[in-house]
Amino acid sequence: MSQRPDPAPSNETRTAKKSWFTKLGPGLITGAADDDPSGIATYSQAGAQFGYGVGWTLLLTYPLMVGIQLASARIGRVSGRGLTEAFSRLWPAPVVWLLIASLVIANVINLGADLNAMGDVAALVIGGPKAAYAVFFGLLSLGLQIWLPYERYVRVLKWLTLSLLAYVAVAFAAHVDWIEALKGALWPRFQWSKEFVTTVVAVLGTTISPYLFFWQASQEVEEIRRVPEDQALKRAPQQAPAHLGRLKTDTWIGMGFSNAVAFFVILATAATLHAHGQTQIETTSQAAEALKPIAGNAAFVLFGLGIVGTGMLALPVLAGSAAYALASMFGVRKGLDRPAASAPAFYGILAAAMLLGLAIGVSGVNPMKALVYAAVINAVSSVPIMAGVMLAGSSSKVMGDLGIPFKWKIVGWSATGVMGAAALAMLGTNWM
């Protein structure tokens, strides 16, 4: 008697059989891109200036990051549209343009600061003109985004996240005082001074940045297009349990990875630079070079390579999120999963953002100041965008019956409130 062939495995079965690493995607890449050179510089300056006493900021931001990123990702997966389209369904065009303009300006400045830092560190480690390295990294990243197929490109980005482990190694080479580090993480110490408040705002701005919201939402939309069986959950609610569960796992792990690395950067610079009285860092290369006599040559090289690796991970996220947002406003075809010839306007915007950033990167501005300023700009511009994310994620017009659950509304609005309060505190201390 002939046997009936086994039925083809369902989409859910195939998903269950995947390894945990292959299940991670937009959340992991978004979290890792959060530790871009701007972030590394901000955490380095925080650790050098205030030692272990700022470690608590990373514990504070972790659930807040998860809340706002989950809301952004959920909007993309449920509606099948990015944040720009979601905003456009709720508010007049001038309001949406204002939000998008603040995103693009912050992104371009951030791109320039990151490229400047990457060139600075490469010149220190290898030798040669830093502007030439900045140009090389910028054009290499742009070329990969245009010519490398999306599915392969995502795999490259996922493996680049491993470059962040360099900072864990640096911290363990730096002879950290783990008792003081634990106190700094669990016992908040606050100073009402311009320098401390600006540093806290910069840490918040580099961990909770607008480009991350737009990127993760857009990547969920790309995943819907990439996988034939997937649909926007608003149209296929039966897929919601599997995908919303995967969203949570991806986002919690991605943001946890991001904050853990940031914490190790603070520990490394607190144990080396701050402990030896070096509290001011003027350039990214100085942050790397200062580690050399204290933590050894390996730590110095790892720090430098980490800057380059995280920069290559963050550049496409910064340029891509700006391109997605503007292309949506212009109503043109978009997506890194599309060939350049089928979405010329989208890739034109992406290239323009990268080249404008490159112009800033080679203009001779102080890289460390540019990086910290980029984080502060992100903090200020993120407040209205975060409010927009929460309102869109709670709207039945955008989300149908799959809006943000109540507990995540509390977390998301708390994140928005904390960011707003921090920005006001910074303005207050600057006016005192």
Side-chain angles (χ1 to χ4, degrees):
M1 185 172 64
S2 63
Q3 288 186 323
R4 294 176 60 187
D6 292 334
S10 66
N11 191 40
E12 289 78 12
T13 302
R14 286 193 297 270
T15 301
K17 289 182 177 179
K18 290 181 180 178
S19 70
W20 68 271
F21 186 70
T22 59
K23 290 180 185 178
L24 303 179
L28 175 67
I29 293 169
T30 303
D34 192 29
D35 289 323
D36 67 329
S38 171
I40 300 304
T42 302
Y43 306 136
S44 298
Q45 182 61 65
Q49 194 166 8
F50 299 105
Y52 300 116
V54 291
W56 60 270
T57 56
L58 279 308
L59 281 184
L60 170 68
T61 58
Y62 181 35
L64 303 183
M65 283 175 72
V66 171
I68 198 70
Q69 289 299 142
L70 266 178
S72 303
R74 191 180 183 106
I75 289 171
R77 177 57 70 167
V78 170
S79 69
R81 298 285 185 272
L83 294 187
T84 304
E85 292 95 336
F87 294 166
S88 297
R89 295 198 65 185
L90 299 178
W91 304 299
V95 175
V96 182
W97 271 113
L98 186 61
L99 295 177
I100 300 308
S102 67
L103 167 79
V104 173
I105 291 169
N107 281 20
V108 169
I109 293 172
N110 217 143
L111 277 166
D114 283 355
L115 285 164
N116 192 327
M118 293 165 71
D120 200 31
V121 167
L124 176 66
V125 175
I126 304 172
K130 72 174 187 179
Y133 289 114
V135 170
F136 170 75
F137 291 132
L139 295 181
L140 174 63
S141 177
L142 180 59
L144 290 173
Q145 292 172 75
I146 293 174
W147 287 298
L148 193 65
Y150 172 76
E151 198 165 345
R152 289 168 59 191
Y153 187 61
V154 167
R155 288 202 294 268
V156 170
L157 293 181
K158 285 173 74 171
W159 284 110
L160 272 175
T161 62
L162 297 178
S163 65
L164 292 170
L165 297 178
Y167 297 108
V168 179
V170 171
F172 278 101
H175 307 294
V176 171
D177 183 336
W178 293 103
I179 300 298
E180 284 300 311
L182 190 61
K183 289 180 182 177
L186 300 179
W187 190 262
R189 308 171 201 176
F190 198 86
Q191 304 173 26
W192 188 254
S193 66
K194 175 183 175 181
E195 292 76 16
F196 188 83
V197 172
T198 300
T199 298
V200 171
V201 172
V203 170
L204 289 171
T206 200
T207 51
I208 306 175
S209 301
Y211 71 89
L212 303 174
F213 319 153
F214 282 82
W215 176 263
Q216 193 166 353
S218 297
Q219 291 308 291
E220 288 297 333
V221 177
E222 299 260 338
E223 288 294 305
I224 292 171
R225 286 209 302 257
R226 186 177 67 84
V227 181
E229 299 89 348
D230 287 357
Q231 298 181 54
L233 300 183
K234 190 176 177 180
R235 294 192 296 272
Q238 71 277 8
Q239 295 182 359
H243 283 297
L244 294 181
R246 191 263 312 158
L247 269 184
K248 286 183 183 178
T249 301
D250 192 17
T251 304
W252 275 107
I253 290 177
M255 301 309 124
F257 183 46
S258 169
N259 273 34
V261 169
F263 186 63
F264 277 107
V265 173
I266 289 177
L267 295 188
T269 50
T272 51
L273 308 186
H274 182 80
H276 290 78
Q278 189 164 343
T279 60
Q280 293 297 324
I281 303 172
E282 295 299 325
T283 66
T284 321
S285 60
Q286 185 183 356
E289 197 164 20
L291 293 172
K292 193 173 183 179
I294 303 168
N297 192 61
F300 154 73
V301 173
L302 282 171
F303 190 96
L305 291 176
I307 288 285
V308 174
T310 59
M312 289 302 294
L313 177 64
L315 293 178
V317 177
L318 285 160
S321 57
Y324 278 113
L326 279 177
S328 296
M329 287 303 295
F330 291 129
V332 298
R333 183 177 291 180
K334 62 186 181 296
L336 287 170
D337 59 336
R338 301 182 189 276
S342 69
F346 170 77
Y347 283 99
I349 296 168
L350 190 150
M354 184 69 77
L355 293 176
L356 284 171
L358 186 54
I360 294 172
V362 299
S363 63
V365 298
N366 182 301
M368 184 58 73
K369 287 182 178 178
L371 290 166
V372 176
Y373 288 157
V376 172
I377 290 169
N378 276 330
V380 175
S381 65
S382 68
V383 178
I385 295 176
M386 291 169 74
V389 169
M390 296 310 300
L391 290 170
S394 304
S395 168
S396 59
K397 188 175 181 181
V398 175
M399 305 290 285
D401 296 328
L402 292 170
I404 303 169
F406 180 72
K407 64 180 179 181
W408 290 112
K409 288 181 184 178
I410 293 174
V411 177
W413 280 114
S414 297
T416 307
V418 167
M419 190 66 78
L424 289 174
M426 183 190 66
L427 294 175
T429 56
N430 277 276
W431 285 342
M432 288 175 59

